[in-house]
Amino acid sequence: MTVRLLPAVERIAVPWKNGGGVTREIVAGPPGAAMDDFEWRVSLAEVGADGPFSAFAGVDRILTLVEGAGMDLTVGDERRRVETRYVPQGFPGDLPTDCRLLAGPVVNLNVMWSRGGGPAPTVTVVQPGLPLAVPVGPAVLIVPVEGTAEVAGRTLGRYDAALLADEDAVLRAQGRTAVIALTRRG
């Protein structure tokens, strides 16, 4: 059983692959994976202007709006309005994706994984309230996206994260909190 803390203040802003925004990686697998060889990756993406998203061949995404008014996306030929915060939205990361901001910059929680290499991650945003048993799995990431949360005896501020590996834990969310169940291969 392990708990790895991933403080938000330690994240470095890195330009997107296409230069259209910045991302702050929370964690990726396997450890040390780069942008072109990850099995899964979780980050916060800051979108400051209209334009295309970076394409990732063979990758799927789950995007969750956590700040701002939203975006009007065109994914392939499908138009998708993303204007409700805390609602995970999945789409292929290799389809051309264009973004038009609705009313200024946004921040998205972005979960990406290599297609065909195992089950897809699940992203659930829980509301504050009663204590919640965290699903036990090879890797579960907890990220408060509004307010704070307590898990495995640690208090997390907004955008801090805790990566739990085979850990029995209870989540006490003081604000909306993302619970991301990841799958490790091999």
Side-chain angles (χ1 to χ4, degrees):
M1 290 192 247
T2 61
V3 177
R4 182 173 155 208
L5 295 179
L6 305 160
V9 297
E10 294 180 6
R11 298 189 196 121
I12 298 168
V14 176
W16 287 359
K17 194 167 115 173
N18 73 3
V22 297
T23 185
R24 296 175 193 276
E25 183 175 286
I26 297 172
V27 66
M35 290 296 287
D36 58 352
D37 66 354
F38 61 82
E39 291 178 2
W40 53 265
R41 180 177 187 271
V42 180
S43 65
L44 287 163
E46 299 171 19
V47 185
D50 296 348
F53 279 14
S54 299
F56 288 88
V59 169
D60 285 324
R61 296 180 180 217
I62 299 173
L63 174 146
T64 306
L65 177 68
V66 296
E67 285 184 42
M71 308 168 288
D72 194 4
L73 296 181
T74 303
V75 180
D77 294 329
E78 177 189 337
R79 196 160 163 225
R80 183 180 300 197
R81 197 164 172 95
V82 179
E83 60 187 340
T84 305
R85 290 186 189 178
Y86 316 119
V87 177
Q89 307 239 357
F91 60 95
D94 46 9
L95 286 179
T97 301
D98 194 60
C99 168
R100 187 180 57 78
L101 296 171
L102 299 180
V106 300
V107 176
N108 298 312
L109 178 67
N110 192 30
V111 178
M112 298 190 297
W113 67 98
S114 177
R115 187 179 302 126
T122 59
V123 178
T124 305
V125 179
V126 298
Q127 305 256 353
L130 297 174
L132 174 74
V134 174
V136 177
V140 177
L141 187 68
I142 307 296
V143 183
V145 293
E146 175 190 73
T148 63
E150 293 177 23
V151 67
R154 277 85 168 185
T155 300
L156 305 174
R158 186 176 191 201
Y159 299 144
D160 288 339
L163 182 62
L164 288 66
D166 299 315
E167 178 81 19
D168 251 338
V170 173
L171 171 63
R172 290 177 177 82
Q174 309 305 314
R176 287 187 173 91
T177 300
V179 177
I180 304 158
L182 301 157
T183 303
R184 291 200 178 122
R185 299 178 196 148

